[in-house]
Amino acid sequence: MTLMVLGGIGTLSGAVIGGIIYAFSENLVAHVNSLTGVNPVSNVGANMQGMIFSVLLILTMLFAPRGIVSLKYPLQRLFRARPLSRGAKEVQLVTK
């Protein structure tokens, strides 16, 4: 259920993104354990995946309530090519 909420409920791409996050989660947990020096067989190390998914779920619910898929449109608007303003001059590349 957490994976569907992270990716985006009701969309096929949300399920795919949730599955990709889950597939790479073991590598992420191993990396976090090695960075923090936590023993993977300890109580904290064994529950690290649950803690990481909990933080991801909280951040997703706060900043992207419809899932990561819902960030597609704001990112497209942010990175869309904008026309030059009226006062700006177009720069031409000069090659020799």
Side-chain angles (χ1 to χ4, degrees):
M1 183 69 170
T2 302
L3 300 175
M4 291 299 294
V5 172
L6 283 176
I9 294 178
T11 62
L12 180 61
S13 55
V16 170
I17 289 174
I20 290 171
I21 291 171
Y22 183 74
F24 288 104
S25 66
E26 288 184 26
N27 293 334
L28 177 66
V29 169
H31 185 67
V32 169
N33 282 340
S34 68
L35 286 176
T36 58
V38 174
N39 186 358
V41 290
S42 69
N43 190 27
V44 175
N47 294 319
M48 187 68 73
Q49 186 172 12
M51 289 186 287
I52 290 173
F53 274 118
S54 299
V55 169
L56 281 174
L57 181 63
I58 290 169
L59 291 174
T60 302
M61 296 305 282
L62 286 174
F63 298 109
R66 293 183 186 158
I68 294 173
V69 173
S70 68
L71 297 175
K72 175 184 174 184
Y73 300 111
L75 290 175
Q76 280 179 345
R77 277 188 262 127
L78 180 66
F79 293 110
R80 187 179 323 158
R82 295 184 175 99
L84 293 174
S85 63
R86 288 186 169 205
K89 295 182 180 179
E90 190 172 331
V91 178
Q92 294 181 353
L93 181 63
V94 177
T95 59
K96 293 183 180 182

